[in-house]
Amino acid sequence: MPYLILSDIHSNLEALTAALADAQGRYDKILCLGDLVGYGADPELVVDWTRENVATVVRGNHDRACCGLEDLELFNPAARLSAIWTRRAISDETRLYLEQLPQGPLTIDGFDLAHGSPFDEDEYLVNISDVMPHKSHLGPTLTFFGHTHVQGGFMVLPRGIRQISPEAPLEIDPQYKYLINPGSVGQPRDRDPRAAYAIYTPETQTVEYRRVDYDIPAAATKIMTAGLPQILAARLFEGV
Ligand code: ZN
């Protein structure tokens, strides 16, 4: 049963639509690693779609912030303004849905889903040095995580950690541990502006990283029209 793994959609309906069209017919179930909302202009529609279609979601920091579970002091100005905008834009039903999202990690079919790291939903795993302290404490062979908006991840070997390049499909070796980031659907930050996602097939033990073009001008125009910070539109074109 192949899984479609999505993360950090961030209210970007155009990117989500393109990713789903690209993945059509290639998966049985959808899993999401959090940050459904924040930054983009379509929180309500993205949450509606998620509620209908995604089998399991773990919450992200923006999901917490946008439903009022967390104050916004630690957010940068653009993130704070977008969280305030989102709080006003969403229905009570959507707010309640976000409030009730479970905290990761969650175990699905022998692998884990987390937003930040398996040990802290707000921790950024960017570099090998970020993973080093967790090396001996990792649970299952495979953990999917998001939060950094960088596609790739890490392979943990007995004598070290390797960064995974998302260019080629990854074959999972059960001797090792893997932290896999599908990248961000709605706000990539790895200098590739295309929407990112991954497909995991347990039967063949493979992870395929995917990138897909989407209508960035349409998503950016919605952000500008909504009165959200301009930088949130501009960064979509750069993938930063
Ligand atoms: Zn995010």
Side-chain angles (χ1 to χ4, degrees):
M1 175 201 293
Y3 291 94
L4 174 62
I5 318 276
L6 305 176
S7 191
D8 298 278
I9 301 167
H10 283 294
S11 304
N12 187 336
L13 190 65
E14 286 71 24
L16 174 62
T17 305
L20 293 171
D22 186 65
Q24 197 179 12
R26 306 195 49 216
Y27 61 88
D28 290 320
K29 257 189 187 175
I30 310 176
L31 307 173
C32 183
L33 310 175
D35 278 3
L36 300 172
V37 298
Y39 297 137
D42 278 316
E44 192 71 15
L45 293 174
V46 166
V47 171
D48 277 352
W49 174 85
T50 303
R51 203 190 280 124
E52 291 287 308
N53 295 286
V54 179
T56 305
V57 185
V58 294
R59 71 183 187 186
N61 51 317
H62 285 261
D63 302 321
R64 289 201 322 269
C66 292
C67 69
L69 272 184
E70 180 164 305
D71 64 47
L72 306 173
E73 272 165 32
L74 293 176
F75 272 40
N76 67 49
R80 192 181 313 131
L81 284 168
S82 85
I84 293 165
W85 181 92
T86 304
R87 285 180 183 180
R88 291 193 191 120
I90 57 177
S91 63
D92 285 348
E93 197 186 9
T94 288
R95 186 179 44 75
L96 208 63
Y97 175 81
L98 294 172
E99 245 177 57
Q100 291 171 348
L101 285 176
Q103 179 178 351
L106 290 183
T107 303
I108 303 290
D109 208 2
F111 58 95
D112 279 6
L113 309 179
H115 182 65
S117 88
F119 307 98
D120 177 351
E121 60 184 334
D122 294 329
E123 184 181 9
Y124 288 92
L125 300 179
V126 179
N127 300 306
I128 286 172
S129 57
D130 300 323
V131 180
M132 212 48 122
H134 303 312
K135 191 173 178 291
S136 333
H137 314 287
L138 293 170
T141 300
L142 194 53
T143 300
F144 290 95
F145 73 102
H147 196 37
T148 63
H149 301 203
V150 174
Q151 195 176 48
F154 305 92
M155 181 179 176
V156 180
L157 307 136
R159 285 165 181 262
I161 297 171
R162 263 186 228 156
Q163 203 124 19
I164 297 167
S165 158
E167 268 80 59
L170 177 71
E171 286 184 32
I172 303 297
D173 183 333
Q175 291 184 76
Y176 308 131
K177 309 257 173 169
Y178 296 83
L179 293 161
I180 307 276
N181 193 327
S184 167
V185 174
Q187 197 201 74
R189 292 181 197 158
D190 45 14
R191 304 206 165 271
D192 181 344
R194 294 175 298 168
Y197 70 93
I199 291 177
Y200 168 51
T201 308
E203 289 73 20
T204 54
Q205 284 294 295
T206 51
V207 175
E208 189 190 352
Y209 294 100
R210 300 282 302 170
R211 297 307 278 247
V212 55
D213 285 311
Y214 75 95
D215 192 346
I216 297 176
T221 301
K222 281 186 185 172
I223 287 171
M224 302 292 285
T225 309
L228 282 156
Q230 193 174 346
I231 188 177
L232 299 178
R235 70 190 301 179
L236 295 181
F237 292 91
E238 310 296 329
V240 292

